[in-house]
């Protein structure tokens, strides 16, 4: 079916942010004398918010006060380095342009800190998205449906009129919690096997395939 709105995850779906996330993670860990993590490890840690990333990246016996300090250090570093090498995946710019040309409303909902979401949206798509929100006080992060429901309200569409696009098991659960159809991309941070195990039913390998599912 043709959808009136497309709601996108950010990291691993629209933008390849992994190298910058890994760099900021390791900078924060190093500041506290903790061992670094590989990019592959960071890939598995992202998706449930920055604090969860730090909780997984720090040694198991780290106390919560120290984890909070590592978190703050990460945020400070990432605020300065979120755009070092981050870039849209191939075809994403053209996909969003085509969706806008066809009148599809566009939103981004992310578990990334809202400060970083707004910076990245302003850099890559200033004035081109109808709504964008990241993790912030007063709104539960995914897989709770809060950010998606906020997007639906801002876009003035019903769950049946919108589709959610993501790259992880968190995204599959988020779409289900909000009552939206879900499309998973295979170029992101999780394997096809992980997506299928999470219950994904629609997977795409290219932006052309994704466009067809959104507008068909």
């Amino acid at each position: 079916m043709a959808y009136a709105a497309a709601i996108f995850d950010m990291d691993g779906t629209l933008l390849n942010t992994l190298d910058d996330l890994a760099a900021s993670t390791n900078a924060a860990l190093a500041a506290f004398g903790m061992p670094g993590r590989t990019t592959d490890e960071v890939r598995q840690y992202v998706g449930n918010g920055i604090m969860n990333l730090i909780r997984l990246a720090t040694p198991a016996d780290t106390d919560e006060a120290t984890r909070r300090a590592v978190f703050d250090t990460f945020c400070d570093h990432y605020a300065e380095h979120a755009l070092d090498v981050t870039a849209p995946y191939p075809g994403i710019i053209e996909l969003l342009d085509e969706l806008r040309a066809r009148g599809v409303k566009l939103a981004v909902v992310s578990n990334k800190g809202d400060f970083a979401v707004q910076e990245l949206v302003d850099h890559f798509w200033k004035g081109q998205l109808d709504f964008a929100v990241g993790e912030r006080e007063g709104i539960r992060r995914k897989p709770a449906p809060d950010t998606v429901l906020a997007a639906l309200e801002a876009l003035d569409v019903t769950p049946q009129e919108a589709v959610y696009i993501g790259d992880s098991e968190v995204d599959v659960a988020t779409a289900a919690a909000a009552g939206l159809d879900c499309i998973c991309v295979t170029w992101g941070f999780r394997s096809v096997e992980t997506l299928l195990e999470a219950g994904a039913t629609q997977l795409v390998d290219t932006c052309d395939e994704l466009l067809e599912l959104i507008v068909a």
Side-chain angles (χ1 to χ4, degrees):
M1 63 171 286
Y3 295 97
I7 300 174
F8 291 87
D9 169 57
M10 177 174 275
D11 295 53
T13 302
L14 294 177
L15 296 176
N16 187 351
T17 57
L18 186 58
D19 287 341
D20 285 335
L21 288 169
S24 290
T25 298
N26 284 325
L29 294 172
F32 290 84
M34 298 174 180
R37 294 293 187 172
T38 67
T39 302
D40 234 24
E41 286 176 315
V42 174
R43 179 195 303 272
Q44 298 306 314
Y45 298 161
V46 298
N48 272 299
I50 297 172
M51 181 52 79
N52 189 67
L53 163 62
I54 298 304
R55 185 170 291 112
L56 293 170
T58 51
D61 60 353
T62 305
D63 63 82
E64 284 305 306
T66 302
R67 281 202 173 105
R68 172 58 62 174
V70 177
F71 169 89
D72 290 340
T73 302
F74 172 96
C75 290
D76 289 344
H77 187 276
Y78 193 64
E80 297 293 327
H81 297 278
L83 285 162
D84 283 2
V85 296
T86 285
Y89 286 100
I92 288 294
I93 296 292
E94 294 81 4
L95 169 68
L96 297 186
D97 286 346
E98 182 63 23
L99 289 173
R100 283 194 68 81
R102 294 180 183 230
V104 178
K105 298 177 181 179
L106 302 175
V108 167
V109 297
S110 174
N111 278 345
K112 180 189 289 296
D114 191 62
F115 72 94
V117 170
Q118 301 307 327
E119 178 184 5
L120 291 166
V121 167
D122 282 349
H123 180 80
F124 290 109
W125 300 290
K126 188 173 182 65
Q128 296 180 344
L129 301 183
D130 300 293
F131 181 78
V133 65
E135 185 177 13
R136 64 189 185 196
E137 292 294 326
I139 188 166
R140 293 179 299 171
R141 67 175 181 268
K142 302 181 294 183
D146 300 34
T147 49
V148 175
L149 297 178
L152 293 174
E153 182 176 2
L155 301 178
D156 192 26
V157 295
T158 68
Q160 293 72 34
E161 294 174 311
V163 62
Y164 183 90
I165 302 103
D167 74 304
S168 76
E169 68 281 2
V170 174
D171 295 313
V172 175
T174 300
L180 271 68
D181 290 343
C182 184
I183 303 170
C184 287
V185 303
T186 60
W187 56 74
F189 295 169
R190 298 292 191 267
S191 67
V192 170
E193 291 73 22
T194 296
L195 294 172
L196 292 174
E197 288 172 6
T201 58
Q202 295 190 99
L203 282 77
V204 295
D205 298 323
T206 69
C207 285
D208 286 342
E209 294 174 7
L210 181 53
L211 176 65
E212 284 302 309
L213 286 181
I214 295 172
V215 302

